[in-house]
Amino acid sequence: TLDLGIDFGPVDRVIQVGSPKGVGRLLQRAGRSGHTPDGASRILCVPTQAIDIAEFAAARRAIRRGTVEARQRLEAPLDVLAQHLVTLALGGGFDAPALLREVRTAHAYRDLTNEAWRWCLDFVTNGGPALRAYPRYARVQRNGDHFVASNDRTIQRTHRLSIGTITSAGHIDVRWLKGGRLGSVEESFLARLAPGDVFTFAGRRLELVRVRDMVAWVRAARRSAGSVVPRWAGGRMPISSELGAAVMEVLEDPGADPEASALAPLIELQRAWAHLPAADELLVERTRTREGHHLFLHGFLGRRVHDGLAALLAHRLARHRPATIQLSATDHGIELLCAQELPVEEVGWGRLLSQQDLIPDLMNAFNEAELGKRRFREVARVSGLVHEGFPGRTKSTRQLQASSGLIWDVLVRYDPENRLVDQANREVLERDVDVHMLRRGLDALVRRQKVEVSPPRLTPLAFPIWAERIQASVSSESWLDRVRRMAERLERVATGERGGEAA
């Protein structure tokens, strides 16, 4: 409710449970309290794990310095422009030269080319080269430089009911090939997988057979293969790079922060068992347990970057030497788990973190075609290629996906230069994979000094990443029991070491 921007005057204090993930987000939430001209905003931060304490201290430091994240800017979304053109045509029409000058005053369209503008005009008047044979896509009529809405009242009514750019995320049913439903998972997760990939869901290791419309057909995984774990969007919200950098500063020098006393035991234990990374270092931990060989990288770059980084490293390592690798990523680092030791030295950190062939490697790690097709559903809805239905007769996500998927196949085959297809593919790289943030992350990691250690057990920084991976492989209760047992075992070791030092 607070994130929707609803203000309640009587609110005296906001309680933030867990990490705020960003400096701006923490300020925005705090600002919902004391929301009067002379009021003071107050927020109480409650940690859910030890690393949250460092994030709270880091956020305070960043606020004092005035370091707030920049907003990501949109770059010429043509689906929104197409919708705007049809809306103006319905409102009495528009003159193309005058409107182009106005559109370019919007920051997102400041560099809009004449070719892209002409393409949009052609798209709303006849649907473009591949769809011009279908009258329903001729939504605007042209008379010289003046454009007005089509006389077809069905087209007019359909557009009025479709105005808006907010699209909802879809959920995909997970079903056995032989019958029976296991549950549902977010579409953005399964769209990354290709047939034959293994993932963990409902405590089972499943092999994806195919995805059709909004149903994923699976069977029990027969082979010993590395699996990936689905996460809900709310749990994938990443920390910002600004907050991640500030967290490393806090760990390196807690200073006089009120949280320093609570962080001190964790920091000392990390330093004693492995190494405490400085801001210009990349800590690499190699640990062997009964599960296999663990490789932990503590980058503090945010979950979005680490998701792509984990997939990229696993792909490049497995390409060098075929291996089954399980992945885990959090805001603070990644884990690669393999039955045999990973060939890091053979490949070299220079190649592993290189930006050469970055896009092809990412697209091989993810299912590019399926991601693009599902991203196109949103583009098609906003641009008016598909319609959500009339009040009382709205279409399901499965119906929308089937319609947009058919249009996608037609455009890819007969109009591969279609700019909406290009936009969907671009948004896959910008949003689903976030290649821009990954490039910046790789730049930062390449410049850092690599510190490689081999601790005999999970360290305080590695423990949360390990716990993240096993969470979805067992039920909630047994996951908690397993995490508690591991935590108690590590605490006993730590307590024994402190007692020995004291003696």
Side-chain angles (χ1 to χ4, degrees), residues 269 273 457 487-503:
L269 201 58
W273 285 2
R457 63 187 69 86
E488 290 170 357
R489 189 181 309 146
L490 295 175
E491 286 172 358
R492 283 196 299 270
V493 175
T495 303
E497 289 182 357
R498 293 193 194 100
E501 291 171 0

Side-chain angles (χ1 to χ4, degrees), residues 175-216:
R175 296 180 178 272
W176 293 109
L177 270 178
K178 296 181 179 179
R181 181 177 180 273
L182 280 167
S184 63
V185 71
E186 283 189 344
E187 181 181 18
S188 59
F189 167 75
L190 274 179
R192 292 168 174 252
L193 306 183
D197 286 349
V198 176
F199 66 102
T200 301
F201 182 71
R204 298 177 174 90
R205 288 166 54 81
L206 308 173
E207 179 183 342
L208 180 65
V209 178
R210 63 178 178 270
V211 177
R212 183 166 297 169
D213 296 334
M214 298 300 287
V215 178

Side-chain angles (χ1 to χ4, degrees), residues 242-316:
E242 289 81 2
L243 186 58
V247 168
M248 294 192 72
E249 291 179 11
V250 170
L251 292 177
E252 187 178 7
D253 179 21
D257 289 300
E259 295 84 0
S261 60
L263 284 172
L266 180 144
I267 291 174
E268 290 306 316
L269 201 58
Q270 177 67 35
R271 185 179 287 116
W273 285 2
H275 178 78
L276 189 66
D280 61 347
E281 293 178 337
L282 172 61
L283 175 60
V284 181
E285 296 180 353
R286 301 189 187 197
T287 305
R288 185 173 183 179
T289 69
R290 286 178 293 180
E291 293 181 288
H293 294 265
H294 305 258
L295 181 69
F296 294 97
L297 274 74
H298 303 286
F300 292 89
L301 298 172
R303 187 189 296 273
R304 189 174 298 169
V305 173
H306 288 157
D307 276 335
L309 179 63
L312 180 68
L313 295 183
H315 172 74
R316 288 175 171 176

Side-chain angles (χ1 to χ4, degrees), residues 442-488:
L442 290 174
D443 279 338
L445 295 181
V446 167
R447 290 194 299 269
R448 293 185 195 176
Q449 179 183 354
K450 312 302 183 294
V451 179
E452 301 189 41
V453 295
S454 300
R457 63 187 69 86
L458 297 179
T459 66
L461 290 181
F463 182 78
I465 310 175
W466 169 85
E468 180 84 10
R469 176 178 54 79
I470 69 168
Q471 182 173 9
S473 62
V474 292
S475 67
S476 297
E477 183 179 3
S478 56
W479 173 73
L480 288 174
D481 291 342
R482 187 173 177 184
V483 169
R484 286 191 183 114
R485 285 196 302 271
M486 178 64 79
E488 290 170 357

Side-chain angles (χ1 to χ4, degrees), residues 416-442:
E417 302 301 320
N418 187 284
R419 292 180 181 266
L420 294 183
V421 170
D422 178 69
Q423 179 179 331
N425 287 327
R426 188 175 71 247
E427 290 185 1
V428 166
L429 294 175
E430 292 175 353
R431 300 184 188 181
D432 295 291
V433 181
D434 208 339
V435 69
H436 299 303
M437 287 187 66
L438 182 56
R439 284 190 187 279
R440 290 197 295 269
L442 290 174

